[in-house]
Amino acid sequence: MVSMMKLDFLTSGGDPTWLNGLQFTTQKIRNLAKLNGLMAHQPWLLKPRHIQELLCREANHNPHNVWTVSELAQVMVILSTIHSISLFVAACGIVPEIDMVGGTFVDFTRQVKRNQEESMSPLSMLPSPRSDVDAKSPTEDTEPRQTSIDPSVSPYHFYITLPPMPASKRTYDEATSKLHTAELIRRLLAERDSCGDCDETEGDLDDSEDDHGLGLPRGFEEIEDTFPAPEPRIISPPLSTSLAEAMAESQEKKIRPVQEDMSRFLDMGCQIEPALFDCRSSQYKIFRVDEFRWEDDASALLSKYLPELSESLEDELVETLNFTDLSFFDENTERHAGGIDTFAFRQAIWYYTLRLFGLLHQDYNYRNLSKFMNTTLAAYIRKACHGISMMETSSGPDNTPSLQLTDMNKVDRNDFENMGFELRPEERCHINIIVMEACKQAKLMYALRAVDRWERKDQDEEDEGEDERF
């Protein structure tokens, strides 16, 4: 993605020196570092003062370093778009093509021997793209190629990791996915037959709050596991599996390195770490969309400064949520008259993604999240959005179980192949597209609300436990 954008930048007449790093750009571009970091990792911390810093500098400021409101609105759309596309690329495991630096390569030290016909195919004879540092002389080509990358070159090189998937875990997940898929289809068909009248009425009239006294509807803060669990089965590895193969499978493999030091595009003095939205935080509040709606307020603000772009964004979001082929996995219209309407499933994914960013829609029944999603899919979406996973640990003198954040782990192949339900590859990609577009909308909502409050000189938000770091 970076390689393609660099090429587009140069083709459009961009200054090549800008690609050397953020410090080679103008001060006007460098001023966007904080906005970029907040929108990428913690958009709920955006305040009107962040907009003030970009639009109105001190009295002796350079006018060439100041952004206009229309320019800033377009910047916000660009940033949210790049962030969401990056999410999709990472979640789908998309890597550079074979003709790009850092692209696909073959590990000859672990490659299974092929017959002579396969080894002489034109594709197998293509060289692997490598950097100049890794280039070998012709006399060294006969030796086994080492694919290990020196970590001392740069700590910011990225890898696509492929952790092993034990046979027992794979078998258990397959059984669980089949059971949960059948149950989800049953619930979707029941929702279609009832036309959703009961649930929609319940969602509109249900004023019950959660047990924590935060004024949140039930089902908003946590997803309950309402799907049946199969009996656990431990499957031993087949007898034909040698000890060497078993040892090899237990080793984490790193392939397709992205040899691009992207740290040069960051402002190291303005780094913002990924974090999960905390409903109980004193530094920010739940974003109640009835106070600033996308359809009315955000779209109106975009139409004011970017009229053509506003219509395109609206069409993009609507198409993402409504696109369907009326099937689910291998269940199609031939088996179920009229097909399977997966709108409730797609809607649950959409609203759960918005919930991860703290957006609350009062007109949605959040109990449907637990009804149409299992905890495995919820964990996948959370990991795709923030690169964060959670695990249950024991803390305190009484070893009270609690949820703790683990390392910032990106989505790997195991996550992509085990989303909790049996899905076709295109359905997995559609889920990632829904998550991508919902993330984009959530970030734009926070950014445009900050612009709206700045225009109205509304500084009420500044009084709610301001975070001095930003």
Side-chain angles (χ1 to χ4, degrees), residues 140-168:
E140 295 175 327
D141 290 339
T142 57
E143 299 178 0
R145 182 174 300 173
Q146 300 295 328
T147 58
S148 59
I149 305 299
D150 184 7
S152 63
V153 175
S154 171
Y156 300 99
H157 285 178
F158 299 102
Y159 299 87
I160 303 295
T161 59
L162 296 179
M165 183 184 295
S168 58

Side-chain angles (χ1 to χ4, degrees), residues 73-315:
Q74 187 170 5
V75 165
M76 292 173 172
V77 174
I78 293 174
L79 291 178
S80 62
T81 300
I82 297 301
H83 295 162
S84 60
I85 294 178
S86 300
L87 180 155
F88 179 80
V89 169
C92 291
I94 300 175
V95 297
E97 298 293 341
I98 194 171
D99 57 343
M100 286 182 161
V101 175
T104 305
F105 69 90
V106 179
D107 186 353
F108 291 98
T109 61
R110 305 179 65 90
Q111 185 181 11
V112 179
K113 293 183 179 180
R114 300 173 179 173
N115 56 40
Q116 186 174 3
E117 293 182 359
E118 292 176 336
S119 63
M120 293 301 294
S121 63
L123 182 60
S124 64
M125 300 178 66
L126 287 175
S128 169
R130 294 166 293 163
S131 61
D132 295 338
V133 178
D134 296 330
K136 297 180 181 294
S137 61
T139 57
E140 295 175 327
D141 290 339
T142 57
E143 299 178 0
R145 182 174 300 173
Q146 300 295 328
T147 58
S148 59
I149 305 299
D150 184 7
S152 63
V153 175
S154 171
Y156 300 99
H157 285 178
F158 299 102
Y159 299 87
I160 303 295
T161 59
L162 296 179
M165 183 184 295
S168 58
K169 180 180 183 298
R170 182 168 58 247
T171 303
Y172 181 81
D173 286 342
E174 181 180 356
T176 306
S177 297
K178 288 183 177 180
L179 187 63
H180 286 192
T181 301
E183 176 64 18
L184 176 60
I185 292 176
R186 186 191 67 80
R187 296 180 183 183
L188 290 173
L189 291 175
E191 180 80 3
R192 183 197 66 180
D193 295 339
S194 63
C195 298
D197 293 337
C198 297
D199 286 340
E200 288 180 6
T201 303
E202 180 184 358
D204 293 337
L205 301 180
D206 186 9
D207 295 330
S208 60
E209 300 179 356
D210 58 6
D211 299 330
H212 304 290
L214 299 177
L216 305 177
R218 291 189 181 276
F220 177 81
E221 193 168 4
E222 297 178 359
I223 284 189
E224 301 177 0
D225 195 354
T226 63
F227 285 80
E231 298 181 1
R233 295 181 299 165
I234 304 299
I235 306 299
S236 301
L239 297 178
S240 59
T241 303
S242 64
L243 178 60
E245 292 176 351
M247 293 291 292
E249 289 183 357
S250 64
Q251 309 250 338
E252 185 182 79
K253 304 175 184 178
K254 292 184 178 181
I255 68 170
R256 300 186 176 107
V258 180
Q259 300 171 345
E260 181 78 61
D261 187 358
M262 288 187 271
S263 64
R264 68 181 189 273
F265 298 120
L266 300 175
D267 184 352
M268 292 306 175
C270 185
Q271 287 302 290
I272 299 170
E273 297 295 331
L276 293 176
F277 185 92
D278 185 4
C279 296
R280 300 178 179 83
S281 175
S282 60
Q283 298 175 352
Y284 47 84
K285 298 178 181 178
I286 298 290
F287 190 140
R288 300 180 183 272
V289 298
D290 56 340
E291 300 173 359
F292 187 83
R293 302 183 63 86
W294 173 264
E295 298 81 359
D296 302 324
D297 305 294
S299 293
L301 194 61
L302 280 177
S303 299
K304 178 180 178 181
Y305 298 108
L306 306 168
E308 297 181 358
L309 188 58
S310 175
E311 296 179 3
S312 300
L313 275 176
E314 185 64 28
D315 294 340

Side-chain angles (χ1 to χ4, degrees), residues 1 79-95 160 316 320 353 380-381 383-387 410-412 416 419 424-440 443:
M1 177 179 172
L79 291 178
S80 62
T81 300
I82 297 301
H83 295 162
S84 60
I85 294 178
S86 300
L87 180 155
F88 179 80
V89 169
C92 291
I94 300 175
V95 297
I160 303 295
E316 179 181 319
T320 299
T353 304
Y380 172 83
I381 296 175
K383 198 173 183 181
C385 287
H386 301 299
K410 298 301 180 183
V411 173
D412 54 36
F416 182 78
M419 294 186 184
R424 303 191 303 269
E426 56 268 31
E427 290 173 330
R428 301 178 192 274
C429 291
H430 191 191
I431 288 178
N432 285 333
I433 291 176
I434 294 175
V435 174
M436 172 185 76
E437 291 297 330
C439 284
K440 180 177 179 178
K443 294 178 180 183

Side-chain angles (χ1 to χ4, degrees), residues 43 70 203 290 319 334 389:
S70 58
D290 56 340
E319 178 66 19
E334 296 179 358
S389 56

